[in-house]
Each structure stands twice: as structure tokens, then as C-alpha cells.
Amino acid sequence: MILSDLIELETLRVIWWALMGVLLIAFALTDGFDMGVGTLLPFVAKTDVERRIVINTVGPVWEGNQVWFILGGGAIFAAWPPLYAASFSGFYLAMFALLAALILRPVAFKYRSKRESTAWRAGWDRALFVGSSVPALLFGVAVGNVLLGVPFYLTDDLMPMYEGNFAMKFLGLLRPFALLAGVVSLSMLVMHGAAWLSLKAEGPLAARARAIGTYAGMIAAATYALAGLWLAVGIDGFAIQGEVVRDGPSNPLYSTVIHGGSWLSAYSDRPWIAIAPLMGFVGIALAVLGLRAGREVSTLLWSKLAITGIISSVGLTMFPFILPSTVRPDSSLTVWDASSSHLTLFVMLVAGAIFLPIIMAYTAWVYKVLWGKVTEDDVSEQSY
């Protein structure tokens, strides 16, 4: 018996589906407050010193936070090749817009304080705002489109093909429900950024962040509830028809999928998954109360709980689907038929078991070292 036979293919597929979710949640928990802080920058900071304080609350950690984004992309590429191929080819223009916005952030961080010019710094502040708010919005739009289903199909040799011309591949993603999901994402991360600023800044700056974060949390709760209601009454879900083969070949065309019914039927089949949206609403409520009361550490933790619950609710509601097809439902990608080989998943799991704890320990150490408030005296010694 070879070592990889110790874990069945079905189990490995579920493990890597869960790990993909963990990596995406970790990215939202860490780089999410970076994006929230960048989005808040024009609204909470009134002077150049205050803007430098805001930027320096995330300046030392934003690069490390993006490790989770890279790990998530790498996991999708290696563990779910059909998902990587279908999503990147169909969302090409959206991905380009997302990456262009993400590129603005490091450039803004590095160049903002290279000149004393007010216009120069104001320009980079706007770039930082765009580089933070646009990804926060587009990540939610992407999730909304996955719930709606994507207009692609697989050829007999499993090549993904999309309907519509090149421009419509982007404009077609801007559907009302997807935009609503984008608002959920943006407001959620603004609340998270406000919780971070409440912890790292002080005085009027922190007070403004708490005030805006309170409203952002209310918007996040309202739009999240509206999205759930919309899913219940206005959007068809997907389901596998017939026997589900969990350890079969990675060929989505072997499954029969129907497009109809409700995504929320998953809650009657697996009632325990209701814990995810409950975490989302409870986390938002307690984070908002914490912001209003001026609490710091607990508010950030409640905000993290909200993000974990909201993102988890999407994955648990859709399981086992990871990219449904509206054109040919039988081409939909699921946990059971879109993975890499048994050996590949096992080798990746061993590597993950070794390196993920190292990354987590190092990240925790960095935050411990950088613990504390950012003050005016601190920014006078920094270059951001």
C-alpha cells in the first residue's frame, strides 16, 4: 500500500474544498481590513498627518496579508484545475480590473511620501482608495455570479467555452444580485477596516472610523439579509440528479445536473449549516455594538466572526457545487468531479500540513511585534 492510499479520494476532495474556503476566509480576515482601511481613508482622515496614521496602521502588514490570496489562487490552480481554467477564462476582464486595482495599492504605499507635494500625495491617496474599494466590491460580485451560475459549458475534451462576446464577459457579470453581493462584501470589509482603525488609531480619527463602521455594519446586515431572501424566492439553485459518485473520475460531464429549485433547500437537507449565517448576523451585530461602545479587541474579533460566517454560508449553501453552469448544467463543476488526482491532492495536503502552521505562526508573531497604537510620533519616523 502506498502512503496516499491512507486517505480516500472522496475525503481528500472534501478536505481541499474546506481548505480552499479556509484560505479565502483567511485572506478576507487579514487583507480584508487592509482594503477596508484604504476605502475609509478619504472619509476618516482630515489632515496629512491623519492620513499617514491611517496608512501606517496597515503599512507594515499588508504585504504579508496578501500571502493568503496567493495561497488561495495556488490551491485553486493545483487542487481544482477545471475551476481555475473556467473561472479565469470567463472572468478575464474582471480579473484584469481586479489585478489592476490591486497593483495600485503597493505603488501607492511606496510612492505616496516620496514628495512633499500636496497634489502628489492626494493623487496616491485616491489610488489607494481605488485599489482598496474596487477589489472589495469585485470579490463580492464574483461570489454573486457563482451563486447565479455562469454561462459556460465544457466541450467533449473538457475545454471551457463561454457564450457572448469579449466585452459581455465583463458586462454580463454586473447583474443586480451580483452587485448586491458586491455591496455586502464592500460594507462588510469597511466595517472590518473600521474595527482595525478603532484598535490601531486613537482620538478623533478612531471616533470617525467607529461612526462610519457602524453604518457600514448596518448596511452589511441589511444587504446580507436581502441577498438571502432573494436566493430563497428569486434565484434557482442547482442539484445533482441521481446517484452521486464521490470517488469517480474528474470529469464533470459524467454527472447529471438540474437547474431549478432553491439553493436554500440545503438547509433542510443539512440543518447544521444554519450556524454559518447565524455567525454572520451575530458577528455583525456585536461588531456594531462594539464600535458604538468604543471597544477595540473584541470588536475586531466579532468582525472576524461575521466575515467567517458570511463567506462560509456561501460555500456550505452551494456544496457540492463550486462553479455551476447556466448554459449546460451538466457542465457544472462540483467537489466530486473537478479535482486533481488522488496523488496530487495527497502530496498537496502533506505540504500544507507542514507549511501552513509555519505561515500562521510567523503571522501571529508579526502581529504580536507590531501590537499597539499608531501615533503622530510614529508616523514622523515612517516613510509611508
Side-chain angles (χ1 to χ4, degrees), residues 24 34 66 158 176 217 227 235 237 266 277-278 283 324 330 346 359 373 376 379:
L24 294 178
D34 291 356
Q66 293 204 122
L158 301 183
I235 295 175
L278 181 62
D330 288 348
F346 180 79
I359 294 172
K373 300 282 188 179
E376 290 188 24
V379 300

Tab-separated table of all heavy atoms in Angstrom, residues 24 34 66 158 176 217 227 235 237 266 277-278 283 324 330 346 359 373 376 379:
chain	number	residue	atom	x	y	z
A	24	LEU	N	-9.502	31.366	1.608
A	24	LEU	CA	-10.227	32.564	1.188
A	24	LEU	C	-10.713	33.363	2.393
A	24	LEU	O	-10.683	34.599	2.387
A	24	LEU	CB	-11.408	32.160	0.301
A	24	LEU	CG	-11.038	31.531	-1.053
A	24	LEU	CD1	-12.290	31.124	-1.815
A	24	LEU	CD2	-10.191	32.475	-1.887
A	34	ASP	N	-7.168	45.573	5.441
A	34	ASP	CA	-6.370	46.491	4.627
A	34	ASP	C	-7.252	47.233	3.626
A	34	ASP	O	-7.168	48.451	3.470
A	34	ASP	CB	-5.302	45.721	3.841
A	34	ASP	CG	-4.229	45.145	4.737
A	34	ASP	OD1	-4.279	45.404	5.955
A	34	ASP	OD2	-3.351	44.440	4.222
A	66	GLN	N	-1.328	39.518	1.979
A	66	GLN	CA	-1.653	39.046	0.640
A	66	GLN	C	-1.125	37.637	0.358
A	66	GLN	O	-1.460	37.051	-0.671
A	66	GLN	CB	-1.121	40.031	-0.407
A	66	GLN	CG	-1.826	41.376	-0.370
A	66	GLN	CD	-1.743	42.119	-1.686
A	66	GLN	OE1	-2.747	42.461	-2.291
A	66	GLN	NE2	-0.535	42.383	-2.125
A	158	LEU	N	-13.299	18.696	-22.499
A	158	LEU	CA	-13.302	19.455	-21.236
A	158	LEU	C	-12.703	20.857	-21.358
A	158	LEU	O	-12.230	21.415	-20.370
A	158	LEU	CB	-12.569	18.668	-20.132
A	158	LEU	CG	-13.133	17.281	-19.810
A	158	LEU	CD1	-12.366	16.653	-18.649
A	158	LEU	CD2	-14.618	17.357	-19.497
A	176	PRO	N	-27.911	42.449	-11.201
A	176	PRO	CA	-28.368	43.068	-9.946
A	176	PRO	C	-28.001	42.274	-8.698
A	176	PRO	O	-27.521	42.854	-7.715
A	176	PRO	CB	-29.887	43.158	-10.143
A	176	PRO	CG	-30.063	43.269	-11.621
A	176	PRO	CD	-28.989	42.414	-12.212
A	217	GLY	N	-21.684	48.414	9.016
A	217	GLY	CA	-22.178	47.162	9.558
A	217	GLY	C	-23.679	47.007	9.377
A	217	GLY	O	-24.172	45.914	9.045
A	227	ALA	N	-30.006	39.566	0.372
A	227	ALA	CA	-29.446	38.557	-0.538
A	227	ALA	C	-29.998	37.171	-0.205
A	227	ALA	O	-30.315	36.380	-1.110
A	227	ALA	CB	-27.928	38.573	-0.450
A	235	ILE	N	-34.063	33.101	-7.141
A	235	ILE	CA	-32.913	32.543	-7.853
A	235	ILE	C	-32.965	31.028	-7.784
A	235	ILE	O	-33.106	30.451	-6.700
A	235	ILE	CB	-31.592	33.065	-7.258
A	235	ILE	CG1	-31.476	34.567	-7.472
A	235	ILE	CG2	-30.388	32.348	-7.870
A	235	ILE	CD1	-30.271	35.187	-6.809
A	237	GLY	N	-31.538	27.309	-7.829
A	237	GLY	CA	-30.302	26.639	-7.455
A	237	GLY	C	-29.967	25.501	-8.404
A	237	GLY	O	-30.583	25.355	-9.473
A	266	ALA	N	-30.665	23.385	0.860
A	266	ALA	CA	-29.537	22.780	1.570
A	266	ALA	C	-29.742	22.841	3.072
A	266	ALA	O	-29.249	21.978	3.820
A	266	ALA	CB	-28.242	23.496	1.191
A	277	PRO	N	-24.786	31.404	8.569
A	277	PRO	CA	-25.428	32.725	8.522
A	277	PRO	C	-25.705	33.290	9.911
A	277	PRO	O	-25.685	34.520	10.098
A	277	PRO	CB	-26.729	32.475	7.749
A	277	PRO	CG	-26.944	31.006	7.791
A	277	PRO	CD	-25.589	30.389	7.865
A	278	LEU	N	-25.952	32.411	10.894
A	278	LEU	CA	-26.140	32.894	12.268
A	278	LEU	C	-24.875	33.584	12.762
A	278	LEU	O	-24.942	34.664	13.379
A	278	LEU	CB	-26.505	31.725	13.183
A	278	LEU	CG	-26.756	32.083	14.657
A	278	LEU	CD1	-27.940	33.032	14.785
A	278	LEU	CD2	-26.979	30.815	15.480
A	283	GLY	N	-22.156	38.141	14.433
A	283	GLY	CA	-20.875	38.844	14.362
A	283	GLY	C	-21.040	40.299	13.987
A	283	GLY	O	-20.424	41.189	14.587
A	324	PRO	N	-21.358	26.527	-10.966
A	324	PRO	CA	-22.479	25.998	-11.751
A	324	PRO	C	-22.538	26.624	-13.140
A	324	PRO	O	-22.117	27.763	-13.333
A	324	PRO	CB	-23.706	26.395	-10.918
A	324	PRO	CG	-23.183	26.912	-9.620
A	324	PRO	CD	-21.794	27.391	-9.872
A	330	ASP	N	-25.109	20.275	-16.935
A	330	ASP	CA	-24.260	19.081	-16.793
A	330	ASP	C	-22.774	19.420	-16.829
A	330	ASP	O	-21.937	18.584	-16.466
A	330	ASP	CB	-24.565	18.063	-17.898
A	330	ASP	CG	-25.917	17.390	-17.686
A	330	ASP	OD1	-26.489	17.548	-16.586
A	330	ASP	OD2	-26.400	16.711	-18.615
A	346	PHE	N	-3.076	14.426	-2.246
A	346	PHE	CA	-2.395	13.937	-1.039
A	346	PHE	C	-1.066	14.656	-0.829
A	346	PHE	O	-0.742	15.085	0.286
A	346	PHE	CB	-2.164	12.428	-1.145
A	346	PHE	CG	-1.475	11.854	0.061
A	346	PHE	CD1	-2.176	11.587	1.223
A	346	PHE	CD2	-0.114	11.593	0.033
A	346	PHE	CE1	-1.541	11.074	2.342
A	346	PHE	CE2	0.546	11.086	1.148
A	346	PHE	CZ	-0.182	10.818	2.303
A	359	ILE	N	3.416	29.368	8.428
A	359	ILE	CA	2.914	30.675	7.988
A	359	ILE	C	2.055	31.304	9.079
A	359	ILE	O	2.176	32.500	9.381
A	359	ILE	CB	2.113	30.527	6.686
A	359	ILE	CG1	3.032	30.076	5.544
A	359	ILE	CG2	1.424	31.843	6.318
A	359	ILE	CD1	2.294	29.713	4.282
A	373	LYS	N	-0.856	51.105	19.374
A	373	LYS	CA	-1.423	52.211	18.612
A	373	LYS	C	-0.377	52.855	17.704
A	373	LYS	O	0.826	52.824	17.993
A	373	LYS	CB	-1.956	53.277	19.571
A	373	LYS	CG	-3.046	52.804	20.524
A	373	LYS	CD	-4.386	52.728	19.833
A	373	LYS	CE	-5.499	52.445	20.831
A	373	LYS	NZ	-6.826	52.380	20.182
A	376	GLU	N	1.111	60.094	16.171
A	376	GLU	CA	1.773	61.107	15.345
A	376	GLU	C	3.283	60.960	15.429
A	376	GLU	O	3.988	61.163	14.432
A	376	GLU	CB	1.351	62.505	15.780
A	376	GLU	CG	-0.090	62.851	15.462
A	376	GLU	CD	-0.402	64.321	15.734
A	376	GLU	OE1	0.561	65.136	15.722
A	376	GLU	OE2	-1.575	64.650	15.947
A	379	VAL	N	4.434	58.207	12.987
A	379	VAL	CA	4.426	58.480	11.542
A	379	VAL	C	5.556	59.419	11.161
A	379	VAL	O	5.983	59.437	9.992
A	379	VAL	CB	3.084	59.050	11.080
A	379	VAL	CG1	1.945	58.067	11.362
A	379	VAL	CG2	2.794	60.401	11.697
